[in-house]
DNA sequence: TTCCTGCGCA
DNA sequence: TGCGCCGGAA
């Protein structure tokens, strides 16, 4: 079985074992984008607390959040960690929405994927994973999201070399899969769920993992 | 103590 | 290439 077939097979195995994920958790495209920034290297449970704080103050709109004093914003997102950095990153993104979309995130859909991706990457604080998360989950554009779980899972299975970078890994999935927003959405969700549950950082619980049949090497 | 859907900067 | 950023839960 070649690597593209393995990638397709892994999806089937996870989907069969775990079922639909209904991602991204978030009520609006703007909330999803905010969540994508807040969850950088951060447990989602802590992000939920920060989003709940914003929601309680009715601040989950680009205009309202940009009008807020940065120190107050930092206080509200404090549970998500890195709150000073993330305040700056959120504000960079809010200024971007103001300039590029007149505060209406969905109007960004007028751009073609590659151009919008470059624009997002030019915002300080939005790297490749955050950009792809916003594009796929908030704007429903066909880009594959790679994260630490994706790296770890593919390395444990001996399917990629250790030093593979984000761009290469993303291309690997996008070349192996049909261009399909729903499929990319669900595949990344399944990887995260599998990563949290079985493909843990220190020791993988490989024997019980849905991807066990695809295991070559398990350290 | 470890880990968490990263990122920018020195 | 390494390092700081940071709170909260297990």
């Amino acid at each position: 079985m070649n690597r593209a077939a393995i990638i397709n097979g892994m999806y089937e195995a996870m989907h069969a074992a775990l079922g639909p994920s209904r991602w991204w958790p978030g009520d609006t495209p703007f909330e999803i984008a905010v969540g994508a920034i807040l969850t950088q290297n951060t447990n989602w449970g802590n992000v939920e607390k920060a989003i709940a704080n914003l929601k309680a103050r009715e601040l989950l709109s680009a205009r309202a959040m940009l009008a807020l004093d940065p120190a107050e914003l930092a206080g509200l997102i404090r549970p998500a960690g890195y709150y000073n950095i993330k305040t700056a990153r959120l504000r960079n993104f809010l200024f971007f929405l103001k300039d590029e979309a007149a505060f209406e995130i969905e109007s960004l859909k007028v751009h073609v994927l590659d151009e919008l991706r470059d624009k997002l990457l030019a915002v300080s604080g939005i790297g490749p994973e955050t950009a792809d998360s916003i594009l796929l989950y908030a704007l429903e554009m066909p880009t594959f999201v790679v994260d630490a779980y994706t790296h770890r899972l593919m390395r444990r299975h001996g399917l990629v070399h250790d030093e593979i970078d984000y761009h290469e890994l993303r291309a690997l999935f996008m070349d192996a899969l049909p261009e399909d927003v729903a499929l990319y959405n669900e595949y990344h969700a399944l990887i995260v769920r599998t990563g949290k549950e079985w493909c843990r950082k220190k020791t993988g619980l490989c024997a019980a993992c849905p991807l066990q049949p695809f295991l070559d090497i398990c350290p």
Side-chain angles (χ1 to χ4, degrees), chain A residues 7 16 39 45 47 62 74 81 84 86 91 102 113 118-119 122 129 138-139 144 159 193 203 213:
Chain A
I7 285 173
T39 200
V47 176
N84 290 316
K86 285 175 179 174
R91 288 175 56 81
L113 171 62
D118 286 343
K119 284 175 180 284
E129 183 186 341
L139 300 174
F144 197 88
L159 294 169
R193 292 168 70 197
T203 52

Side-chain angles (χ1 to χ4, degrees), chain A residues 93-107:
Chain A
F93 178 63
L94 296 170
F95 280 116
F96 171 82
L97 284 182
K98 179 186 177 190
D99 294 340
E100 291 284 344
F103 287 116
E104 290 298 326
I105 186 170
E106 294 195 80
S107 71

